[in-house]
C-alpha cells in the first residue's frame, strides 16, 4: 500500500541518484558494506511510490573523471586506486588500499568513482537549478581523506559535492554529518577552508572508530570554528541525540549563513546496528533528516544535497531510514505508521529468508528536552554539548550559555 500525503505547498524539484551499476561497490561476501543496502533502498522507495512523483527525477550517475576526483584527492592517490583496481594483489596499505576495512577488488576505481559521480551529479543539478534537493543514498563516503582510503570509503563523494558547489559559485557550504562515526575525512579536506562549516554528531572516539572528533578539534588556523564535533557517549538514544543536535547545529548554521547544505545520513546510529553503540530509532533518524531539510529551507534557499553513509542492519533499518530521507527531500514524507509495502517484504523474505518490520517506523515515543530548559552538568550528553558550545560558539559571535 502506498501512502503519500498531499501537502498544501509545492514540493521542491528533487533528483534521486540511482542506477544498478552502483552496486558494483562491493568489498566481497561478509563485508559490512553490503551492496544490497542500495538495491533494497531503491526497491522500497519504488514500492512506496516515491520514484513516481512528478517532481522527482531518478538519474543514473556516470563515473567521475580523474580531474573531478582530483578536486579533493591527490593525483597520486587516484593513480594508486587505479593500480589496485587493475591488480587487486598489488595492495597499497599505506594509502588504505587492500586493508581489512577496504579490501582491494577488481574494478574498485570505477565502482568508487561512480558513487562519487552520483554526488557530483547532485551538485550539478543544484547549480543549474534543475533541482533544489538531491539525494545520493549510495554516497556519503566520509572517511576517505585527500591521500588515503579509510573505513569502507575510497573516494569522498560528499567532499566532492561540497567542492563542486564552491567552484560553481556557492559562497559557503554547511556540511552536516549524522553518521555514528566521525566524519573525519570530509573534515580533514576542509580543515583550513573558512568557506565550509563541517558539523559532525557521532559516537565518541573513545568507544568507536576512527577515534577522533572531539570538541577541541575546531579547524585550521585560517578557519577556526568551522570544524564542529559533538562526541556523544555510547548508548545515547533519540532524546539525547536530538537534544544535542538542536542545541548546536541550528545556531551555528544560522550564524555561518551558508548558501547550500550537504548532509551525510549514515543510519548506523540505530540501536540494532552491529558495529556501533548508539541507541537511535528509525523515527529519530527520520526526525534528523527533517531537521536538516528545514535548515536548508530556512537558510539556503532550499538548496540541499543528502547522501547516505554507514548503516549495517541491511534488512531492517537501512532501506526504511533512507526511504524516509528520499521522501523528506521530495517534500512528501511517509508517516511512521505507514505499513511497509507487502511486495517489498515478500521480496526480502524470498531472497534473504528473513522477516522485515511491518511499519515504516519503530513505534517509539519521540521526544527531547530543549536546551532552553537548562544545562545539567550531571548529564553526559549535556557535558558533551557544553564542551562543543564552549569550543566554537564564541568564534561565531555566540554565547555558549545563552544562545
Amino acid at each position: 500500500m502506498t501512502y503519500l500525503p498531499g501537502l498544501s505547498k509545492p514540493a521542491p524539484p528533487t533528483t534521486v541518484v540511482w542506477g544498478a551499476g552502483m552496486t558494483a561497490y562491493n568489498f566481497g561476501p561478509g563485508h559490512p558494506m553490503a551492496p544490497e543496502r542500495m538495491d533494497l533502498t531503491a526497491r522500497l522507495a519504488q514500492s512506496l511510490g516515491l520514484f513516481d512523483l512528478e517532481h522527482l527525477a531518478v538519474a543514473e550517475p556516470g563515473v567521475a573523471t580523474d580531474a573531478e576526483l582530483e578536486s579533493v584527492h591527490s593525483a597520486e592517490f587516484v593513480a594508486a586506486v587505479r593500480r589496485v583496481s587493475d591488480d587487486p594483489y598489488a595492495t597499497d596499505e599505506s594509502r588504505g588500499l587492500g586493508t581489512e576495512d577496504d579490501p582491494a577488488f577488481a574494478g574498485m576505481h570505477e565502482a568508487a568513482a561512480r558513487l562519487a559521480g552520483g554526488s557530483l551529479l547532485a551538485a550539478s543539478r543544484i547549480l543549474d537549478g534543475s533541482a533544489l534537493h538531491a539525494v545520493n543514498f549510495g554516497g556519503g563516503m566520509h572517511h576517505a581523506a585527500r591521500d588515503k582510503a579509510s573505513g569502507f570509503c575510497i573516494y569522498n563523494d560528499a567532499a566532492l559535492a561540497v567542492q563542486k558547489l564552491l567552484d560553481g559559485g556557492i559562497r559557503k557550504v554547511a556540511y552536516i554529518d549524522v553518521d555514528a562515526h566521525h566524519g573525519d575525512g570530509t573534515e580533514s579536506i576542509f580543515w583550513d577552508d573558512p568557506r565550509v562549516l563541517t558539523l559532525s554528531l557521532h559516537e565518541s572516539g573513545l568507544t568507536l572508530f576512527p577515534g577522533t572528533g572531539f570538541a577541541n578539534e575546531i579547524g585550521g588556523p585560517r578557519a577556526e570554528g568551522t570544524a564542529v564535533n559533538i562526541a556523544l557517549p555510547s548508548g545515547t538514544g533519540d532524546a539525547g541525540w536530538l537534544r544535542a543536535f538542536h542545541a548546536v547545529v541550528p545556531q551555528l548554521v544560522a550564524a555561518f549563513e551558508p548558501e547550500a547544505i550537504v548532509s551525510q545520513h549514515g543510519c548506523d546510529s540505530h540501536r540494532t546496528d552491529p558495529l556501533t553503540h548508539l541507541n537511535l530509532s528509525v523515527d529519530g533518524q527520520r526526525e534528523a533528516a527533517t531537521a536538516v531539510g528545514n535548515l536548508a529551507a530556512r537558510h539556503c534557499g532550499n538548496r540541499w544535497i543528502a547522501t547516505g553513509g554507514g548503516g549495517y542492519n541491511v534488512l531492517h533499518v537501512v532501506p526504511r531510514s533512507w526511504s524516509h530521507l528520499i521522501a523528506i527531500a521530495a517534500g512528501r514524507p511517509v508517516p511512521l505508521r505507514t505499513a511497509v509495502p507487502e511486495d517489498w517484504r515478500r521480496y526480502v523474505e524470498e531472497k534473504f529468508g528473513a522477516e522485515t518490520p511491518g511499519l515504516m517506523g519503530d513505534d517509539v515515543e519521540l521526544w527531547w528536552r530543549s536546551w532552553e530548559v537548562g544545562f545539567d552538568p550531571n548529564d553526559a550528553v549535556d557535558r558533551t554539548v557544553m564542551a562543543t558550545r564552549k569550543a566554537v560558539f564564541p568564534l561565531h559571535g555566540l554565547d555558549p550559555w545563552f544562545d
Side-chain angles (χ1 to χ4, degrees):
M1 179 179 294
T2 298
Y3 188 97
L4 293 173
L7 299 180
S8 58
K9 60 183 179 181
T14 302
T15 291
V16 173
V17 176
W18 169 243
M22 295 169 71
T23 61
Y25 194 81
N26 185 352
F27 291 110
H31 193 281
M33 188 68 92
E36 289 82 5
R37 304 173 332 135
M38 291 183 276
D39 177 67
L40 289 173
T41 297
R43 288 177 182 273
L44 181 55
Q46 180 69 67
S47 292
L48 288 164
L50 298 173
F51 287 176
D52 298 325
L53 295 171
E54 289 185 3
H55 64 280
L56 185 148
V58 178
E60 188 167 350
V63 175
T65 67
D66 287 9
E68 289 173 326
L69 294 169
E70 289 164 15
S71 68
V72 301
H73 293 291
S74 69
E76 293 78 13
F77 176 64
V78 174
V81 176
R82 280 190 170 277
R83 285 194 298 273
V84 172
S85 181
D86 291 340
D87 180 6
Y89 294 102
T91 60
D92 188 346
E93 294 194 18
S94 67
R95 297 187 186 273
L97 302 170
T99 63
E100 182 178 358
D101 276 359
D102 297 284
F105 63 92
M108 172 186 278
H109 165 77
E110 182 173 318
R114 189 179 302 280
L115 298 189
S119 290
L120 289 169
L121 172 61
S124 294
R125 293 288 177 95
I126 300 298
L127 288 170
D128 69 19
S130 59
L132 283 174
H133 293 173
V135 180
N136 178 16
F137 56 85
M141 303 293 105
H142 64 161
H143 293 307
R146 174 173 170 78
D147 292 299
K148 189 174 182 179
S150 176
F152 314 161
C153 306
I154 307 301
Y155 295 132
N156 194 320
D157 63 285
L160 285 161
V162 171
Q163 188 63 52
K164 188 172 182 68
L165 293 174
L166 294 171
D167 293 343
I170 296 292
R171 186 175 58 91
K172 291 182 179 180
V173 178
Y175 169 78
I176 303 174
D177 190 318
V178 303
D179 195 287
H181 300 84
H182 176 220
D184 59 331
T186 312
E187 178 185 273
S188 70
I189 288 169
F190 298 109
W191 181 251
D192 207 26
D193 191 333
R195 301 172 299 170
V196 183
L197 177 69
T198 63
L199 303 110
S200 180
L201 291 88
H202 48 267
E203 181 181 336
S204 171
L206 295 175
T207 55
L208 191 68
F209 173 90
T212 55
F214 297 98
N216 62 351
E217 298 170 33
I218 62 171
R222 295 189 306 137
E224 288 189 346
T226 61
V228 181
N229 289 291
I230 308 173
L232 295 164
S234 174
T236 299
D238 291 324
W241 195 100
L242 290 165
R243 176 168 166 81
F245 180 98
H246 288 287
V248 174
V249 178
Q251 297 88 334
L252 289 173
V253 169
F256 188 69
E257 299 181 335
E259 295 180 349
I261 287 175
V262 175
S263 55
Q264 197 268 21
H265 294 265
C267 51
D268 46 3
S269 58
H270 195 269
R271 61 196 183 198
T272 64
D273 195 274
L275 300 188
T276 67
H277 317 100
L278 295 179
N279 199 30
L280 271 67
S281 63
V282 166
D283 310 46
Q285 294 173 342
R286 178 183 183 272
E287 184 66 29
T290 299
V292 173
N294 288 341
L295 289 173
R298 187 174 303 123
H299 300 292
C300 305
N302 237 341
R303 289 180 289 271
W304 177 29
I305 297 171
T307 71
Y312 310 102
N313 187 330
V314 174
L315 304 181
H316 294 168
V317 175
V318 179
R320 288 189 297 153
S321 186
W322 288 350
S323 290
H324 280 303
L325 176 64
I326 293 167
I328 290 163
R332 293 291 184 267
V334 174
L336 290 162
R337 296 288 301 174
T338 301
V340 174
E342 283 298 326
D343 64 326
W344 187 85
R345 297 186 72 194
R346 285 196 303 272
Y347 174 81
V348 174
E349 185 173 3
E350 291 170 2
K351 185 173 179 63
F352 299 98
E355 293 186 0
T356 54
L359 297 176
M360 285 297 294
D362 287 334
D363 201 22
V364 303
E365 184 179 350
L366 197 63
W367 65 276
W368 66 93
R369 293 182 301 125
S370 168
W371 189 253
E372 284 72 20
V373 304
F375 164 59
D376 180 359
N378 295 314
D379 183 272
V381 170
D382 277 23
R383 291 196 300 272
T384 291
V385 169
M386 184 53 80
T388 300
R389 287 170 67 102
K390 284 182 175 180
V392 296
F393 269 36
L395 297 169
H396 293 269
L398 299 172
D399 187 315
W401 290 97
F402 300 109
D403 284 326

